[in-house]
């Protein structure tokens, strides 16, 4: 199979969908790997490294997109939509519930789109979303700590404090992979930490891990409101796979926060979990709401592309090889968890959560794989 890797063109996005080591594996299995010139430079991977791995460097994005299977990190943006076609399989982060225009383009073009973020492991976890969630969770606290500084518009508060001063209070909404990483980072920086989740077993795990040093609360409107009011930093890390994130933090809650508090929404790819959230960029990451500072960077792991690219390929390469070796239908038919990643094909929506967000009807998966 011919596998294409175009250069990412979303603003400030320097990740790439395949490492040189990944290219080596695919080439060794007899596949043709084509990489757009310069695609790996932001992640520290030179064109020469890909060539040494057996890949071929092409001059234009169109040449990479002409492959049967295209690997990307982020979803196609406006002027990439013309490159979509019926005989293309696209494997990338898509987040279609929050991107109806992209979903419509994939449907209209008949493209087979497999989303990293909805692929499931046998235990129900999201193995291809997990590494980027870990990166985003850790970065969210680092970003939040910076936003609390006076030059960034914050309250001038050191998140961990120093002896004799008050440490900042970090509230983490959602105890999944990203939330867990955020809690770990916030505790490491010396912050006082509260984590909220609807899963009592998950909250018990936090109690076991941190020995009571992290406050755990069952998530509901009352506990969210009380926690946000007392927070210096709020991390939004709520995820419903494939669906839009619920809006847990209202404008009224934000109005009641201390001036100079910070809110970082890492659920922004799925629409965000704060009512006032809107996507921002690495170049212009923050904005103010009332007297607080919001940051909602949609590709937060892109700030550390060397780490993120390697972690992503580690998570996706096995599935990529199966799709390349057997074709997408056979690969998905043999793996129910990978089949959960199918979002669109042949002009139909395959994922129920995506279909619901788009007010569409999901086609039966069995019929799409037949």
């Amino acid at each position: 199979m011919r596998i294409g890797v175009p250069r990412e063109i979303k603003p400030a996005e320097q990740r790439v969908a395949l490492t040189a080591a990944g290219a080596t594996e695919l080439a060794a299995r007899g596949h043709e790997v084509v990489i757009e010139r310069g695609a790996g430079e932001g992640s520290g991977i030179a064109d020469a490294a890909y060539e040494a791995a057996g890949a071929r460097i092409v001059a234009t994005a169109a040449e990479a997109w002409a492959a049967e299977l295209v690997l990307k990190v982020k979803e196609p943006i406006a002027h990439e939509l013309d490159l979509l076609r019926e005989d293309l399989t696209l494997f990338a982060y898509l987040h279609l519930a929050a991107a109806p225009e992209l979903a419509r383009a994939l449907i209209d073009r008949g493209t087979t789109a497999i989303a990293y973020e909805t692929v499931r492991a046998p235990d129900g976890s999201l193995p291809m979303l997990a590494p980027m969630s870990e990166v985003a969770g850790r970065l969210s606290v680092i970003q939040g700590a910076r936003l609390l500084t006076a030059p960034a518009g914050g309250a001038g508060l050191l998140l961990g404090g120093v002896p004799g001063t008050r440490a900042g209070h970090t509230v983490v909404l959602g105890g999944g992979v990203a939330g867990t990483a955020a809690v770990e980072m916030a505790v490491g920086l010396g912050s006082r930490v509260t984590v909220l989740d609807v899963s009592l077993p998950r909250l018990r795990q936090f109690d076991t891990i941190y020995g009571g040093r992290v406050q755990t609360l069952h998530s509901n409107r009352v506990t969210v409101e009380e926690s946000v009011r007392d927070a210096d930093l709020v991390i939004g890390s709520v995820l419903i796979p494939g669906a839009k994130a619920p809006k847990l933090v209202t404008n009224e809650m934000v109005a009641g926060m201390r001036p100079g508090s910070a809110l970082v929404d890492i659920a922004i790819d799925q629409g965000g979990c704060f009512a006032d959230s809107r996507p921002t960029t690495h170049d212009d990451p923050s904005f103010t709401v009332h007297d607080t500072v919001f940051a909602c960077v949609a590709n937060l792991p892109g700030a550390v592309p060397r780490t993120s690219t390697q972690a992503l390929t580690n998570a996706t390469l096995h599935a990529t090889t199966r799709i390349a070796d057997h074709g997408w239908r056979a690969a998905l038919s043999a793996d129910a968890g990978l089949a959960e990643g199918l979002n669109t094909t042949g002009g139909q929506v395959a994922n129920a959560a995506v279909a619901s967000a788009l007010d569409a009807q999901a086609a039966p998966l069995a019929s799409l794989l037949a």
Side-chain angles (χ1 to χ4, degrees), residues 41 235 253 295 300:
E41 287 179 355
I235 305 295
M253 292 180 191
L300 192 56

Side-chain angles (χ1 to χ4, degrees), residues 139-161:
L139 282 177
S140 69
V141 177
I142 295 171
Q143 184 180 54
R146 187 189 66 80
L147 292 177
L148 287 173
T149 65
L157 179 72
L158 180 63
L159 189 60

